[in-house]
Amino acid sequence: MKVTLVFPPQFDPTIPNLALPCLTAVLRAAGHEVIQKDLNVESYDHFLSKNGLVEASVKINANYNTLQFLKSEIPTIQRLTQKKDRLLREIEKAKRVWRDPRDFYDYRRFTASKHLLEEGLQFIALPYFRSHLSFTQYEMYHSPDSTEQILKAVRDPSLNLYIDYYQRYVIPGFISTAPQVTGISIACRSQVIPGLTLAYWLKQALPNVHIVIGGIHFTNLRDNLVQNPELFTLFDSVILYEGETAITRLVDCLENGDSLRIVPNLIFKNDAEIVVNDAFHIENINELPTPSFEGLPLALYFSPRPVLMIYASRGCYWGRCAFCNHSDYGGNQYRLRSPEKVKKDIETLIQKHGGNIFGLVDLAVSPDVLARLATEINESGLQIHWFCMTRFERKLDQELCANLAKSGCKMLLFGLESGSERVLSIMEKGIHPDIIGKVLAVCNEAGIANFVSCIFGFPTETGDEAKETIRLIRRNLRYIVSITIQSFQLEKNSKVYRNPKDYQVVAMVPREVRELSWGCNYRTGKGLSQKEAADLAKQLYGICKNTYTELFDIFLPYLLYIIEYRHHNLLWLKTRPRAKSLSAIILAQERSIAIIQKKLDRLLGDLQ
């Protein structure tokens, strides 16, 4: 059977998402003809081209009088239209910098191209009222959290910038290939409207195609789907949880004319009825084939080197964090793919695609699995670079980190969350602030970079406890390579959501006309308010963003610079020392740290 799998906009265009390659591998193994299309990277490549900008310019001229009514937008309109000629002249060159193995690592050239591409994306969104497009987000007038607004958005070419792109460049290709089944993988909120827009217009062109939606975003909305049957006017079915077996059986049933009621993890439309199948399936991940990236436009990603994602486990080996809804995800059954199979996956992908940089998509890789994986890689002689998420654990000691570094581990991503022992305890993180500092230090000594995330405003966290987090960051600035800061978000299906009284959440307030939102607003009986936490997170994020390098807000360039420069802390890039000697790098790094420390001290003083 002819199947087309689609990864829609908007998502990070620097790395192929793993969803389609996993599904493609099992469908091809079952004998089905599969085309996989990453419309996310294809749309970025088109928008950031001379043709894409010319099309946007025509729309701006056509809508200019309307846009002028938005007085707050006039400065942006004037600034970007004045830069139109430069954008048209330099956009292709700027795009090439990201794919060029020499120019990409020229920091000044890279940052100049980054700024120009960002302006190009602003220009693309300009004709569409209240739209914003960047490498990291897409926002528009209509909300993806409301069924009513989604149904309006997918039909409105004056507000939805993807409709024209799909009609011109995507739908004709579907008509030509005529798939019988189209799967659309939606991993995050910013993909909802672009993904469902594709579904709507594809149905207009090919009424008989079966459109199935999958991905973690709709899995987390599973209880809302039946309550909003209007969504099923856009597609035919939804696969929840893991999709390899489910989509294979779905395609088999459609091919053989069998009932869809036997397909596991499926919700589907049967005339006027929305059917939720009882059958549930969790994959034996040791039986799954190596993900298949064949057919994806690897040369089109915004990266000078291919970076491929794989996995060593599914589920979370810890699975207790109170703020996380993954513990409710399909029973959260933690399963390991054997290190031997992971090594074989790497070898297969190197042979097929030639790259040597890999990332593990696992929610968290335990120290024991890290140790086994590092040993397997070292004994095999593979010369690779890799990164993954893990936790601050005592087992991440000097010996293990040295072994990880020897195997090519270049970065570990951690959830630091808080510097308060009490807050970490009620979060059920299972870590202590002292362990955080020790692990950061041994990773630094081994030459492994880190990326840490912090949360402000977990229910009952006080201002003094928030300051403990800021002080922890300040103490470890020499070790923290990159950081993201956010305020607490109360997500559906998390422990806090299911047991609000245990966390002194006195009220959960549904967001207005947002029945498809993952979370809700809340009020607590103690500690920082939701607004106070958001304001503090914004202040601290601003300090870090403005002091770290231009690579700060996009993950892949940071990783590739670490690999290229063979130095795991890039704070020195901000000062751009002429000499690249070790002493010059250290001096520049110390200057950067001193700048951040002063800003953090000022923030701590303001919080007194």
Side-chain angles (χ1 to χ4, degrees):
M1 202 168 197
K2 295 174 68 174
V3 180
T4 296
L5 300 178
V6 179
F7 192 72
Q10 175 275 319
F11 204 80
D12 177 0
T14 62
I15 304 176
N17 187 274
L18 188 58
L20 300 195
C22 287
L23 300 177
T24 297
V26 295
L27 284 169
R28 286 177 177 164
H32 298 291
E33 180 183 343
V34 183
I35 295 174
Q36 52 179 335
K37 297 183 69 65
D38 189 336
L39 293 185
N40 177 59
V41 73
E42 290 183 17
S43 65
Y44 271 109
D45 186 66
H46 173 74
F47 291 149
L48 295 172
S49 69
K50 189 172 182 179
N51 286 341
L53 294 177
V54 167
E55 291 168 3
S57 180
V58 171
K59 295 186 183 82
I60 291 170
N61 292 335
N63 299 337
Y64 192 77
N65 291 334
T66 302
L67 294 171
Q68 288 291 335
F69 282 110
L70 310 174
K71 294 184 179 180
S72 62
E73 300 295 325
I74 289 177
T76 302
I77 296 169
Q78 293 175 338
R79 175 176 61 83
L80 290 174
T81 51
Q82 288 170 0
K83 293 184 177 183
K84 182 185 74 172
D85 290 342
R86 178 170 175 257
L87 287 170
L88 289 169
R89 187 173 61 250
E90 299 182 12
I91 194 70
E92 296 288 355
K93 180 181 177 181
K95 195 165 56 173
R96 283 196 298 270
V97 168
W98 284 64
R99 296 165 179 162
D100 187 281
R102 182 184 62 182
D103 291 347
F104 181 87
Y105 297 106
D106 182 317
Y107 182 68
R108 292 185 181 182
R109 193 167 294 178
F110 173 81
T111 53
S113 72
K114 178 174 179 284
H115 292 157
L116 192 131
L117 294 181
E118 288 171 342
E119 289 182 333
L121 292 173
Q122 292 176 34
F123 191 83
I124 291 295
L126 195 56
Y128 303 92
F129 177 54
R130 290 186 183 173
S131 289
H132 173 75
L133 179 64
S134 69
F135 278 126
T136 57
Q137 68 178 135
Y138 168 59
E139 296 287 344
M140 68 170 299
Y141 177 77
H142 292 298
S143 170
D145 301 329
S146 161
T147 299
E148 180 183 1
Q149 294 200 36
I150 289 172
L151 294 174
K152 291 178 180 178
V154 300
R155 296 171 170 87
D156 192 343
S158 68
L159 295 174
N160 185 337
L161 66 86
Y162 288 100
I163 292 177
D164 182 59
Y165 170 72
Y166 289 155
Q167 290 178 335
R168 287 178 185 236
Y169 302 105
V170 176
I171 300 300
F174 275 89
I175 294 173
S176 175
T177 57
Q180 295 154 294
V181 179
T182 293
I184 301 175
S185 179
I186 296 179
C188 64
R189 181 177 181 271
S190 61
Q191 291 181 288
V192 172
I193 287 177
L196 297 186
T197 298
L198 175 65
Y200 173 77
W201 289 101
L202 186 56
K203 273 290 188 185
Q204 304 308 302
L206 298 170
N208 294 325
V209 66
H210 184 101
I211 297 179
V212 55
I213 306 296
I216 189 172
H217 189 86
F218 272 69
T219 294
N220 280 324
L221 296 176
R222 56 195 178 276
D223 295 334
N224 304 89
L225 294 175
V226 177
Q227 300 166 12
N228 293 275
E230 301 91 345
L231 286 171
F232 284 83
T233 62
L234 304 178
F235 48 79
D236 299 289
S237 62
V238 178
I239 290 176
L240 308 176
Y241 311 112
E242 296 171 332
E244 287 92 344
T245 295
I247 196 168
T248 304
R249 292 186 185 172
L250 173 65
V251 173
D252 288 342
C253 286
L254 291 170
E255 185 174 40
N256 299 325
D258 297 334
S259 171
L260 299 188
R261 293 179 185 270
I262 65 172
V263 179
N265 306 355
L266 190 73
I267 300 178
F268 69 98
K269 176 177 61 179
N270 184 31
D271 296 327
E273 180 187 12
I274 304 301
V275 180
V276 181
N277 287 352
D278 293 329
F280 176 72
H281 183 81
I282 288 184
E283 304 294 340
N284 179 341
I285 62 174
N286 276 311
E287 295 180 353
L288 295 176
T290 298
S292 174
F293 291 84
E294 287 88 346
L296 289 178
L298 296 183
L300 215 57
Y301 291 91
F302 286 69
S303 170
R305 304 171 66 176
V307 178
L308 301 181
M309 306 305 290
I310 55 176
Y311 60 91
S313 66
R314 288 189 183 173
C316 179
Y317 81 91
W318 179 252
R320 303 176 203 172
C321 297
F323 52 81
C324 181
N325 59 16
H326 283 293
S327 61
D328 189 62
Y329 183 82
N332 190 42
Q333 294 187 30
Y334 180 63
R335 292 143 291 151
L336 287 174
R337 189 167 174 88
S338 73
E340 295 80 13
K341 283 190 174 291
V342 176
K343 183 200 72 171
K344 184 64 176 177
D345 292 339
I346 293 171
E347 291 173 338
T348 299
L349 294 173
I350 289 174
Q351 183 179 13
K352 288 183 177 180
H353 306 292
N356 70 337
I357 305 177
F358 297 90
L360 299 176
V361 299
D362 306 42
L363 295 174
V365 183
S366 72
D368 290 341
V369 174
L370 285 173
R372 291 172 58 195
L373 186 57
T375 298
E376 193 71 32
I377 293 171
N378 288 331
E379 290 180 352
S380 71
L382 284 170
Q383 299 297 311
I384 64 170
H385 309 293
W386 59 281
F387 61 93
C388 71
M389 294 183 66
T390 187
R391 286 171 33 84
F392 287 106
E393 300 263 20
R394 293 182 186 275
K395 289 184 178 181
L396 275 171
D397 56 18
Q398 192 174 34
E399 180 181 357
L400 176 53
C401 286
N403 201 33
L404 290 172
K406 182 181 177 182
S407 72
C409 180
K410 294 299 179 183
M411 180 178 282
L412 294 173
L413 291 80
F414 297 94
L416 183 152
E417 319 308 5
S418 175
S420 163
E421 182 179 357
R422 188 192 73 86
V423 173
L424 288 171
S425 176
I426 59 173
M427 285 181 171
E428 299 185 58
K429 282 291 295 183
I431 61 176
H432 189 279
D434 292 345
I435 297 299
I436 293 172
K438 290 177 181 177
V439 170
L440 290 172
V442 295
C443 286
N444 179 77
E445 182 182 350
I448 299 174
N450 61 73
F451 182 98
V452 301
S453 62
C454 299
I455 296 175
F456 285 95
F458 188 83
T460 74
E461 181 183 52
T462 65
D464 287 340
E465 288 169 330
K467 286 190 284 187
E468 291 183 50
T469 303
I470 298 173
R471 294 190 185 100
L472 178 64
I473 293 169
R474 189 191 187 284
R475 288 196 302 271
N476 290 284
L477 281 175
R478 283 178 175 78
Y479 306 139
I480 294 175
V481 174
S482 190
I483 186 171
T484 183
I485 299 113
Q486 60 186 336
S487 59
F488 171 72
Q489 302 296 311
L490 180 51
E491 294 186 347
K492 292 178 180 178
N493 304 315
S494 66
K495 286 185 180 179
V496 179
Y497 183 86
R498 295 196 304 267
N499 307 288
K501 292 182 180 179
D502 294 349
Y503 301 91
Q504 296 191 39
V505 173
V506 297
M508 294 190 293
V509 186
R511 293 168 181 167
E512 186 177 357
V513 199
R514 292 189 175 185
E515 76 281 1
L516 299 180
S517 173
W518 273 25
C520 60
N521 296 322
Y522 63 93
R523 293 196 302 273
T524 61
K526 174 186 176 183
L528 296 172
S529 69
Q530 192 172 4
K531 182 180 184 307
E532 288 170 335
D535 290 344
L536 179 55
K538 184 177 180 180
Q539 288 182 70
L540 185 56
Y541 181 82
I543 290 172
C544 294
K545 180 175 174 61
N546 292 330
T547 311
Y548 277 78
T549 74
E550 292 289 344
L551 309 175
F552 179 86
D553 53 355
I554 307 176
F555 173 77
L556 183 70
Y558 217 110
L559 173 73
L560 294 183
Y561 264 66
I562 287 166
I563 293 172
E564 176 71 13
Y565 282 94
R566 299 182 182 182
H567 197 275
H568 56 280
N569 197 319
L570 300 179
L571 279 173
W572 58 274
L573 273 174
K574 185 73 174 181
T575 57
R576 293 191 290 271
R578 292 181 180 177
K580 292 298 188 292
S581 66
L582 180 60
S583 60
I585 289 174
I586 293 174
L587 181 61
Q589 184 173 315
E590 289 299 319
R591 285 201 296 266
S592 295
I593 290 171
I595 292 170
I596 302 176
Q597 286 177 331
K598 288 182 180 178
K599 292 182 177 180
L600 293 180
D601 288 341
R602 194 176 303 124
L603 177 59
L604 286 167
D606 291 342
L607 295 174
Q608 295 293 342

